[in-house]
Coordinates of all heavy atoms in Angstrom, one line a residue:
M286 N 133.5 -209.5 202.7 CA 132.5 -209.2 201.7 C 131.1 -209.2 202.3 O 130.8 -210.2 202.9 CB 132.7 -210.2 200.5 CG 131.6 -210.1 199.5 SD 131.6 -211.3 198.2 CE 132.7 -210.5 197.0
G287 N 130.3 -208.2 202.1 CA 129.0 -208.2 202.6 C 128.0 -208.8 201.8 O 128.2 -209.1 200.6
V288 N 126.8 -209.1 202.3 CA 125.7 -209.7 201.5 C 124.8 -208.6 201.1 O 124.4 -207.7 202.0 CB 124.9 -210.7 202.4 CG1 123.8 -211.2 201.6 CG2 125.9 -211.8 202.9
S289 N 124.5 -208.5 199.8 CA 123.7 -207.4 199.4 C 122.3 -208.0 199.0 O 122.1 -209.2 198.8 CB 124.3 -206.7 198.2 OG 124.5 -207.6 197.1
N290 N 121.4 -207.0 198.9 CA 120.0 -207.4 198.5 C 119.4 -208.4 199.4 O 118.6 -209.2 199.0 CB 120.0 -207.8 197.0 CG 120.5 -206.8 196.1 OD1 120.1 -205.7 196.2 ND2 121.3 -207.2 195.2
V291 N 119.6 -208.3 200.7 CA 118.9 -209.1 201.7 C 118.0 -208.3 202.5 O 118.3 -207.1 202.9 CB 120.0 -209.7 202.6 CG1 119.3 -210.5 203.8 CG2 120.9 -210.7 201.9
F292 N 116.8 -208.8 202.6 CA 115.8 -208.1 203.5 C 115.1 -209.2 204.4 O 115.1 -210.3 204.0 CB 114.8 -207.3 202.7 CG 113.9 -208.0 201.9 CD1 112.6 -208.4 202.4 CD2 114.2 -208.4 200.6 CE1 111.7 -209.1 201.6 CE2 113.3 -209.1 199.8 CZ 112.0 -209.4 200.3
V293 N 114.7 -208.7 205.5 CA 114.0 -209.6 206.5 C 112.6 -209.0 206.8 O 112.5 -207.8 206.9 CB 114.9 -209.6 207.8 CG1 114.1 -210.5 208.9 CG2 116.2 -210.2 207.5
R294 N 111.6 -209.9 206.8 CA 110.3 -209.4 207.2 C 109.6 -210.4 208.1 O 109.9 -211.6 208.1 CB 109.5 -209.1 205.9 CG 109.1 -210.4 205.1 CD 108.1 -210.1 204.1 NE 107.8 -211.2 203.2 CZ 107.1 -212.3 203.5 NH1 106.6 -212.4 204.7 NH2 106.9 -213.2 202.6
P295 N 108.6 -209.9 208.8 CA 107.9 -210.8 209.7 C 107.1 -211.8 208.9 O 106.7 -211.6 207.7 CB 106.9 -209.9 210.4 CG 107.4 -208.5 210.3 CD 108.2 -208.5 209.0
I296 N 107.0 -213.0 209.4 CA 106.3 -214.0 208.8 C 104.7 -213.8 208.7 O 104.2 -213.2 209.7 CB 106.6 -215.4 209.4 CG1 106.3 -216.5 208.4 CG2 105.8 -215.6 210.7 CD1 106.9 -217.8 208.8
A297 N 104.1 -214.1 207.7 CA 102.6 -214.0 207.5 C 102.1 -215.4 207.4 O 102.7 -216.3 207.1 CB 102.3 -213.2 206.2
A298 N 100.8 -215.5 207.8 CA 100.2 -216.8 207.8 C 100.3 -217.5 206.4 O 100.5 -218.7 206.4 CB 98.7 -216.7 208.1
R299 N 100.3 -216.8 205.3 CA 100.3 -217.4 204.0 C 101.8 -217.9 203.7 O 101.9 -218.6 202.7 CB 99.9 -216.3 202.9 CG 101.0 -215.2 202.8 CD 100.6 -214.2 201.7 NE 101.6 -213.2 201.6 CZ 101.7 -212.1 202.5 NH1 100.9 -212.0 203.5 NH2 102.7 -211.2 202.2
D300 N 102.7 -217.6 204.6 CA 104.1 -218.0 204.4 C 104.4 -219.4 204.8 O 105.6 -219.8 204.8 CB 105.1 -217.0 205.0 CG 105.0 -215.7 204.4 OD1 104.9 -215.5 203.2 OD2 105.3 -214.7 205.2
W301 N 103.4 -220.2 205.3 CA 103.7 -221.4 205.9 C 104.5 -222.4 205.0 O 105.4 -223.1 205.5 CB 102.5 -222.1 206.5 CG 101.6 -222.6 205.5 CD1 100.4 -222.0 205.0 CD2 101.6 -223.9 204.8 NE1 99.8 -222.8 204.1 CE2 100.5 -224.0 203.9 CE3 102.5 -225.0 204.8 CZ2 100.3 -225.1 203.1 CZ3 102.3 -226.1 204.0 CH2 101.2 -226.1 203.2
P302 N 104.3 -222.4 203.7 CA 105.1 -223.3 202.9 C 106.6 -222.9 202.9 O 107.5 -223.7 202.9 CB 104.5 -223.2 201.5 CG 103.1 -222.8 201.7 CD 103.2 -221.8 202.9
L303 N 106.8 -221.6 202.8 CA 108.2 -221.1 202.8 C 108.9 -221.4 204.2 O 110.0 -221.9 204.2 CB 108.3 -219.6 202.6 CG 107.9 -219.0 201.3 CD1 107.9 -217.5 201.3 CD2 108.8 -219.5 200.2
Y304 N 108.2 -221.2 205.2 CA 108.7 -221.5 206.5 C 109.0 -223.0 206.7 O 110.0 -223.4 207.1 CB 107.7 -221.1 207.7 CG 108.2 -221.4 209.0 CD1 109.1 -220.6 209.7 CD2 107.8 -222.6 209.6 CE1 109.6 -220.9 210.9 CE2 108.3 -223.0 210.9 CZ 109.2 -222.1 211.5 OH 109.7 -222.5 212.8
R305 N 108.1 -223.8 206.2 CA 108.2 -225.3 206.3 C 109.5 -225.7 205.6 O 110.3 -226.4 206.1 CB 107.0 -226.0 205.7 CG 107.2 -227.5 205.7 CD 106.2 -228.2 204.7 NE 106.4 -227.6 203.4 CZ 105.5 -227.6 202.4 NH1 104.3 -228.1 202.7 NH2 105.7 -227.1 201.3
D306 N 109.6 -225.2 204.4 CA 110.7 -225.6 203.5 C 112.1 -225.2 204.1 O 113.1 -225.9 204.2 CB 110.6 -225.0 202.1 CG 109.5 -225.7 201.4 OD1 108.9 -226.7 201.8 OD2 109.1 -225.1 200.3
M307 N 112.1 -223.9 204.7 CA 113.3 -223.4 205.3 C 113.7 -224.1 206.6 O 114.8 -224.4 206.8 CB 113.2 -221.9 205.5 CG 113.1 -221.0 204.3 SD 114.5 -221.1 203.2 CE 115.8 -220.6 204.3
R308 N 112.6 -224.4 207.4 CA 112.9 -225.1 208.6 C 113.4 -226.5 208.4 O 114.3 -227.0 209.1 CB 111.6 -225.1 209.5 CG 111.8 -225.9 210.8 CD 110.9 -225.4 211.9 NE 111.1 -226.3 213.1 CZ 111.8 -226.0 214.1 NH1 112.6 -224.9 214.1 NH2 111.9 -226.7 215.2
L309 N 112.8 -227.3 207.5 CA 113.2 -228.6 207.2 C 114.7 -228.6 206.6 O 115.5 -229.5 207.0 CB 112.3 -229.3 206.2 CG 110.9 -229.6 206.7 CD1 110.0 -230.2 205.7 CD2 110.9 -230.5 207.9
R310 N 115.0 -227.6 205.8 CA 116.3 -227.5 205.3 C 117.3 -227.2 206.5 O 118.4 -227.8 206.5 CB 116.4 -226.4 204.3 CG 117.8 -226.4 203.5 CD 117.8 -225.4 202.4 NE 116.6 -225.1 201.8 CZ 116.3 -224.0 201.1 NH1 117.3 -223.1 200.9 NH2 115.2 -223.7 200.6
A311 N 116.9 -226.3 207.4 CA 117.8 -226.0 208.5 C 117.9 -227.2 209.4 O 119.1 -227.4 210.0 CB 117.2 -224.8 209.3
L312 N 116.9 -228.0 209.6 CA 117.0 -229.1 210.5 C 118.0 -230.2 209.9 O 118.7 -230.9 210.6 CB 115.6 -229.8 210.7 CG 114.7 -229.1 211.7 CD1 113.3 -229.5 211.5 CD2 115.2 -229.3 213.1
Q313 N 118.1 -230.3 208.6 CA 119.0 -231.2 208.0 C 120.5 -230.6 208.0 O 121.4 -231.3 208.2 CB 118.6 -231.4 206.5 CG 117.4 -232.3 206.4 CD 117.0 -232.6 205.0 OE1 116.9 -231.7 204.2 NE2 116.9 -233.8 204.6
D314 N 120.5 -229.3 207.8 CA 121.8 -228.6 207.8 C 122.5 -228.5 209.1 O 123.7 -228.7 209.3 CB 121.7 -227.2 207.1 CG 123.0 -226.5 207.0 OD1 123.9 -227.1 206.3 OD2 123.1 -225.4 207.5
S315 N 121.7 -228.2 210.1 CA 122.3 -227.9 211.5 C 121.4 -228.6 212.6 O 120.8 -227.8 213.4 CB 122.3 -226.4 211.7 OG 123.1 -225.7 210.7
P316 N 121.3 -229.9 212.6 CA 120.4 -230.5 213.5 C 120.6 -230.2 215.0 O 119.7 -230.2 215.8 CB 120.6 -232.0 213.2 CG 121.9 -232.1 212.5 CD 122.1 -230.8 211.8
A317 N 121.9 -229.9 215.4 CA 122.2 -229.6 216.8 C 121.6 -228.3 217.2 O 121.5 -228.0 218.5 CB 123.7 -229.7 217.0
A318 N 121.2 -227.5 216.3 CA 120.7 -226.1 216.7 C 119.3 -226.1 217.1 O 118.7 -225.1 217.5 CB 120.9 -225.2 215.5
F319 N 118.6 -227.2 217.0 CA 117.2 -227.3 217.3 C 116.8 -228.3 218.3 O 117.5 -229.3 218.5 CB 116.4 -227.7 216.0 CG 116.6 -226.7 214.9 CD1 117.7 -226.8 213.9 CD2 115.7 -225.6 214.8 CE1 117.8 -225.9 213.0 CE2 116.0 -224.6 213.8 CZ 117.0 -224.8 212.8
A320 N 115.7 -228.1 219.0 CA 115.2 -229.1 220.0 C 114.4 -230.2 219.3 O 114.2 -231.2 219.9 CB 114.3 -228.4 221.0
S321 N 114.0 -230.0 218.1 CA 113.2 -230.9 217.3 C 114.2 -231.6 216.3 O 115.4 -231.2 216.2 CB 112.1 -230.2 216.6 OG 111.3 -231.2 216.0
T322 N 113.6 -232.6 215.6 CA 114.5 -233.3 214.6 C 113.8 -233.2 213.2 O 112.5 -233.0 213.1 CB 114.6 -234.8 214.9 OG1 113.4 -235.4 214.9 CG2 115.3 -234.9 216.3
Y323 N 114.5 -233.4 212.2 CA 114.0 -233.4 210.8 C 112.9 -234.6 210.8 O 111.8 -234.4 210.2 CB 115.1 -233.7 209.8 CG 114.5 -233.8 208.4 CD1 114.2 -232.7 207.6 CD2 114.3 -235.1 207.9 CE1 113.7 -232.8 206.3 CE2 113.8 -235.2 206.6 CZ 113.5 -234.1 205.8 OH 113.0 -234.3 204.6
A324 N 113.3 -235.7 211.3 CA 112.4 -236.9 211.2 C 111.0 -236.6 211.9 O 110.0 -237.1 211.4 CB 113.0 -238.1 211.9
S325 N 111.0 -235.8 213.0 CA 109.6 -235.5 213.5 C 108.9 -234.4 212.8 O 107.7 -234.5 212.7 CB 109.8 -235.2 215.0 OG 110.5 -234.0 215.2
E326 N 109.7 -233.5 212.3 CA 109.0 -232.3 211.6 C 108.5 -232.6 210.2 O 107.5 -232.1 209.8 CB 110.0 -231.2 211.6 CG 110.4 -230.6 213.0 CD 109.6 -229.5 213.5 OE1 108.9 -228.8 212.7 OE2 109.6 -229.3 214.7
V327 N 109.2 -233.5 209.5 CA 108.8 -233.8 208.2 C 107.5 -234.6 208.1 O 106.9 -234.5 207.0 CB 110.0 -234.6 207.4 CG1 110.0 -236.0 207.8 CG2 109.8 -234.5 205.9
T328 N 107.1 -235.1 209.2 CA 105.8 -235.9 209.2 C 104.6 -235.0 209.4 O 103.5 -235.4 209.4 CB 105.8 -237.0 210.2 OG1 106.0 -236.4 211.5 CG2 107.0 -238.0 210.0
R329 N 104.8 -233.7 209.8 CA 103.7 -232.8 210.0 C 102.9 -232.6 208.8 O 103.4 -232.5 207.6 CB 104.2 -231.4 210.5 CG 104.8 -231.3 211.8 CD 105.3 -229.9 212.0 NE 105.9 -229.7 213.3 CZ 105.2 -229.4 214.4 NH1 103.9 -229.2 214.4 NH2 105.8 -229.2 215.6
S330 N 101.6 -232.5 208.9 CA 100.7 -232.2 207.8 C 100.7 -230.8 207.4 O 101.2 -229.9 208.2 CB 99.3 -232.6 208.2 OG 98.7 -231.7 209.1
E331 N 100.2 -230.5 206.2 CA 100.1 -229.1 205.8 C 99.3 -228.3 206.7 O 99.6 -227.1 207.0 CB 99.6 -229.1 204.3 CG 100.6 -229.6 203.3 CD 100.1 -229.4 201.9 OE1 99.0 -229.0 201.6 OE2 100.9 -229.7 201.0
D332 N 98.2 -228.9 207.2 CA 97.3 -228.2 208.2 C 98.1 -227.9 209.5 O 97.9 -226.8 210.0 CB 96.1 -229.1 208.5 CG 95.1 -229.2 207.4 OD1 95.1 -228.3 206.5 OD2 94.3 -230.1 207.4
D333 N 98.9 -228.8 209.9 CA 99.8 -228.5 211.1 C 100.7 -227.3 210.8 O 100.8 -226.4 211.7 CB 100.6 -229.7 211.5 CG 99.8 -230.8 212.1 OD1 98.7 -230.6 212.6 OD2 100.3 -232.0 212.1
W334 N 101.4 -227.3 209.7 CA 102.3 -226.2 209.4 C 101.5 -224.9 209.3 O 101.9 -223.9 209.8 CB 103.0 -226.5 208.1 CG 104.1 -227.5 208.2 CD1 104.1 -228.7 207.8 CD2 105.4 -227.3 208.8 NE1 105.3 -229.4 208.1 CE2 106.1 -228.5 208.7 CE3 106.0 -226.2 209.5 CZ2 107.3 -228.7 209.2 CZ3 107.3 -226.4 210.0 CH2 107.9 -227.6 209.9
A335 N 100.4 -224.9 208.6 CA 99.6 -223.7 208.4 C 99.1 -223.2 209.8 O 99.1 -222.0 210.1 CB 98.4 -223.9 207.5
A336 N 98.6 -224.1 210.7 CA 98.2 -223.6 212.0 C 99.3 -223.1 212.8 O 99.1 -222.1 213.5 CB 97.5 -224.8 212.7
R337 N 100.5 -223.7 212.7 CA 101.6 -223.2 213.5 C 102.0 -221.8 213.1 O 102.3 -221.0 214.0 CB 102.7 -224.2 213.3 CG 104.0 -223.9 214.0 CD 105.0 -225.0 213.6 NE 106.2 -224.9 214.4 CZ 107.2 -225.8 214.4 NH1 107.2 -226.8 213.5 NH2 108.3 -225.6 215.1
I338 N 102.1 -221.6 211.8 CA 102.5 -220.3 211.4 C 101.4 -219.2 211.5 O 101.7 -218.1 211.8 CB 103.0 -220.3 209.9 CG1 104.2 -221.3 209.8 CG2 103.3 -219.0 209.3 CD1 105.3 -221.0 210.9
S339 N 100.2 -219.6 211.4 CA 99.1 -218.7 211.6 C 99.1 -218.2 213.1 O 98.9 -217.0 213.4 CB 97.7 -219.4 211.3 OG 97.6 -219.5 210.0
A340 N 99.4 -219.1 214.0 CA 99.4 -218.8 215.4 C 100.6 -217.8 215.7 O 100.4 -216.8 216.5 CB 99.6 -220.1 216.3
V341 N 101.7 -218.1 215.1 CA 102.8 -217.1 215.3 C 102.6 -215.8 214.7 O 102.8 -214.7 215.3 CB 104.2 -217.8 214.7 CG1 105.3 -216.7 214.7 CG2 104.6 -219.0 215.5
A342 N 102.0 -215.8 213.5 CA 101.8 -214.5 212.8 C 100.7 -213.6 213.5 O 100.8 -212.4 213.5 CB 101.3 -214.8 211.4
A343 N 99.9 -214.3 214.3 CA 98.8 -213.6 215.0 C 99.2 -213.2 216.4 O 98.5 -212.5 217.1 CB 97.5 -214.4 215.0
S344 N 100.3 -213.8 216.9 CA 100.7 -213.6 218.3 C 101.3 -212.2 218.6 O 102.0 -211.7 217.8 CB 101.7 -214.7 218.7 OG 102.2 -214.5 220.0
K345 N 101.0 -211.7 219.8 CA 101.6 -210.5 220.3 C 103.0 -210.8 220.8 O 103.8 -209.9 221.0 CB 100.8 -209.9 221.4 CG 99.5 -209.3 221.0 CD 98.8 -208.7 222.2 CE 97.5 -208.2 222.0 NZ 96.9 -207.6 223.2
Y346 N 103.3 -212.1 221.2 CA 104.5 -212.4 221.9 C 105.5 -213.2 221.1 O 106.7 -213.0 221.2 CB 104.1 -213.2 223.1 CG 103.1 -212.4 224.0 CD1 101.8 -212.8 224.0 CD2 103.5 -211.3 224.7 CE1 100.9 -212.1 224.8 CE2 102.6 -210.6 225.5 CZ 101.3 -211.0 225.5 OH 100.4 -210.3 226.3
A347 N 105.0 -214.1 220.3 CA 105.9 -214.9 219.4 C 106.2 -214.2 218.2 O 105.3 -213.5 217.7 CB 105.3 -216.3 219.1
Q348 N 107.4 -214.3 217.7 CA 107.7 -213.7 216.4 C 108.6 -214.6 215.5 O 109.4 -215.4 216.1 CB 108.6 -212.4 216.7 CG 107.8 -211.3 217.3 CD 108.6 -210.0 217.5 OE1 109.9 -210.1 217.4 NE2 108.0 -208.9 217.7
A349 N 108.4 -214.5 214.3 CA 109.2 -215.3 213.3 C 109.4 -214.4 212.1 O 108.5 -213.6 211.7 CB 108.5 -216.6 212.9
F350 N 110.6 -214.5 211.5 CA 110.9 -213.7 210.4 C 111.5 -214.6 209.3 O 112.2 -215.6 209.5 CB 112.0 -212.7 210.8 CG 111.5 -211.7 211.8 CD1 111.7 -212.1 213.2 CD2 110.9 -210.6 211.5 CE1 111.2 -211.2 214.1 CE2 110.4 -209.7 212.5 CZ 110.6 -210.0 213.8
L351 N 111.3 -214.2 208.0 CA 111.9 -214.8 206.9 C 112.9 -213.8 206.3 O 112.7 -212.6 206.2 CB 110.9 -215.1 205.8 CG 109.9 -216.3 206.1 CD1 108.8 -216.3 205.1 CD2 110.7 -217.6 206.2
A352 N 114.1 -214.3 205.9 CA 115.1 -213.5 205.2 C 115.1 -213.9 203.7 O 114.9 -215.1 203.3 CB 116.5 -213.8 205.8
F353 N 115.2 -212.9 202.9 CA 115.2 -213.1 201.4 C 116.5 -212.4 200.8 O 116.9 -211.3 201.3 CB 114.0 -212.4 200.8 CG 112.7 -213.1 201.2 CD1 112.1 -212.7 202.4 CD2 112.1 -214.0 200.4 CE1 110.9 -213.3 202.8 CE2 110.9 -214.6 200.8 CZ 110.3 -214.3 202.0
Q354 N 117.0 -213.1 199.9 CA 118.1 -212.5 199.1 C 117.7 -212.6 197.6 O 117.4 -213.7 197.1 CB 119.4 -213.2 199.3 CG 120.6 -212.6 198.6 CD 121.9 -213.2 199.0 OE1 122.0 -214.3 199.4 NE2 123.0 -212.4 198.7
H355 N 117.7 -211.4 197.0 CA 117.3 -211.4 195.6 C 115.9 -212.0 195.4 O 115.7 -212.8 194.5 CB 118.3 -212.0 194.6 CG 119.7 -211.4 194.7 ND1 120.0 -210.2 194.3 CD2 120.8 -212.0 195.3 CE1 121.3 -209.9 194.5 NE2 121.8 -211.0 195.1
A356 N 115.0 -211.7 196.4 CA 113.6 -212.2 196.3 C 113.5 -213.7 196.6 O 112.4 -214.3 196.5 CB 112.9 -211.8 195.1
E357 N 114.6 -214.4 196.9 CA 114.5 -215.9 197.2 C 114.7 -216.1 198.7 O 115.6 -215.4 199.3 CB 115.6 -216.6 196.5 CG 115.5 -216.6 195.0 CD 114.2 -217.4 194.5 OE1 113.9 -218.4 195.1 OE2 113.6 -216.9 193.6
P358 N 113.9 -216.9 199.4 CA 114.0 -217.2 200.8 C 115.4 -217.8 201.1 O 115.9 -218.7 200.3 CB 112.9 -218.1 201.1 CG 112.4 -218.7 199.8 CD 112.8 -217.7 198.7
C359 N 116.1 -217.2 202.1 CA 117.4 -217.7 202.4 C 117.7 -218.0 203.9 O 118.7 -218.5 204.3 CB 118.5 -216.8 201.9 SG 118.4 -215.1 202.6
G360 N 116.7 -217.7 204.7 CA 116.8 -217.9 206.1 C 115.6 -217.6 206.9 O 114.7 -217.1 206.4
L361 N 115.6 -218.1 208.2 CA 114.5 -217.8 209.1 C 115.0 -217.6 210.5 O 116.1 -218.0 210.8 CB 113.5 -219.0 209.1 CG 114.0 -220.4 209.4 CD1 113.9 -220.6 210.9 CD2 113.2 -221.3 208.6
V362 N 114.2 -216.8 211.2 CA 114.5 -216.5 212.6 C 113.3 -216.7 213.4 O 112.2 -216.3 213.0 CB 115.0 -215.0 212.8 CG1 115.3 -214.7 214.2 CG2 116.2 -214.8 211.9

């Protein structure tokens, strides 16, 4: 069975709250998949998250994407 109504788009600087929420959820769900931990990431300030995503969104080399299903965030790359 395929997944329908899924789209992926590049992350924008304004997306930092979505990225934060998705990353923290992923760190809890699959901790072995990351070099960081939930415990260290959850302590980041909102300014840290915003700066991190602004840097990625403006970079020529780094890329990050958000996946949405039925307009709800469901994943990140």
Side-chain angles (χ1 to χ4, degrees):
M286 175 184 268
V288 177
S289 62
N290 298 314
V291 173
F292 68 95
V293 177
R294 67 166 172 79
I296 200 163
R299 70 181 180 281
D300 294 327
W301 71 264
L303 291 175
Y304 177 85
R305 176 199 58 204
D306 295 349
M307 294 300 301
R308 180 154 173 93
L309 292 176
R310 190 176 333 160
L312 284 164
Q313 289 180 309
D314 183 58
S315 303
F319 298 91
S321 187
T322 65
Y323 176 83
S325 67
E326 298 266 339
V327 76
T328 63
R329 289 180 180 269
S330 70
E331 290 185 353
D332 288 341
D333 288 340
W334 285 105
R337 181 179 190 178
I338 298 312
S339 290
V341 169
S344 175
K345 291 182 183 179
Y346 306 104
Q348 294 183 341
F350 299 89
L351 289 170
F353 295 84
Q354 183 175 22
H355 304 290
E357 294 295 321
C359 64
L361 56 92
V362 177

